[in-house]
Amino acid sequence: MEDIKEKKLLFRANMKARLKKLTALEMAQKIRKIEDNLFDFANFMEAKTILFYLTENSAMVTENILKQIHLLEKTLVLPLFREGKPGVKLFKIDSLNQDVVDASHLNMKVPNASRCKELSIERMDIAFIPGLVFDEKGNRLGQ
């Protein structure tokens, strides 16, 4: 089991190193390809309620995706992980400017629970989970 953990850590470290070597143009091209693939993805286009994560490291990647979600009049939902409590709560976001706050301890932006409506996981049509490295079956390796 430790061998698998070590391999996952190595894959993640290698990917981080590769990403750091990319030029701004190369990164922009990769982001554009991600967006194009997403916007051509039938499940995304058919989904009405979308669970998304806003990590600090993904700001460049998510900006156009969030604009598209808004333009397509889809419901954006963000998770709220409560410090010291198990589980996650999901909240509908009406305004990124007013309904989202920084959670520096998680290195991500989260819903302002006092402003947003909580939704159940059953209401989600699709969820986009961030990841750095995936296996050939699409499973995320590590956090």
Side-chain angles (χ1 to χ4, degrees), residues 1-136:
M1 192 66 158
E2 285 300 314
D3 188 43
I4 292 172
K5 280 187 177 182
E6 288 176 19
K7 284 182 180 179
K8 287 181 179 183
L9 287 172
L10 182 61
F11 278 131
R12 291 177 48 73
N14 286 339
M15 185 54 72
K16 284 180 182 179
R18 287 177 59 190
L19 286 173
K20 282 185 178 181
K21 290 181 182 177
L22 293 177
T23 67
L25 177 60
E26 290 170 326
M27 183 61 87
Q29 290 170 336
K30 289 191 180 297
I31 290 169
R32 181 62 189 194
K33 185 169 175 120
I34 290 169
E35 292 170 352
D36 289 345
N37 287 340
L38 178 62
F39 301 146
D40 285 341
F41 187 45
N43 292 4
F44 171 78
M45 295 308 294
E46 293 170 3
K48 300 275 189 258
T49 305
I50 299 174
L51 174 59
F52 215 80
Y53 287 70
L54 295 180
T55 64
E56 295 297 321
N57 298 334
S58 68
M60 283 179 50
V61 177
T62 58
E63 185 177 339
N64 285 333
I65 294 170
L66 294 174
K67 286 179 187 175
Q68 191 70 16
I69 288 171
H70 178 72
L71 288 173
L72 294 171
E73 298 180 352
K74 297 178 181 293
T75 299
L76 175 64
V77 177
L78 296 179
L80 177 62
F81 299 91
R82 297 162 299 157
E83 207 169 357
K85 295 183 181 180
V88 62
K89 290 191 172 202
L90 306 176
F91 291 91
K92 179 181 182 236
I93 304 301
D94 291 319
S95 167
L96 286 171
N97 294 330
Q98 296 176 354
D99 294 345
V100 178
V101 296
D102 286 322
S104 57
H105 68 285
L106 295 171
N107 196 29
M108 66 187 299
K109 295 183 182 295
V110 298
N112 180 342
S114 65
R115 286 189 47 89
C116 302
K117 178 182 177 184
E118 186 175 350
L119 298 178
S120 69
I121 190 72
E122 291 80 18
R123 300 265 322 265
M124 303 307 110
D125 295 320
I126 196 166
F128 292 96
I129 312 301
L132 183 62
V133 181
F134 298 85
D135 69 14
E136 64 279 351

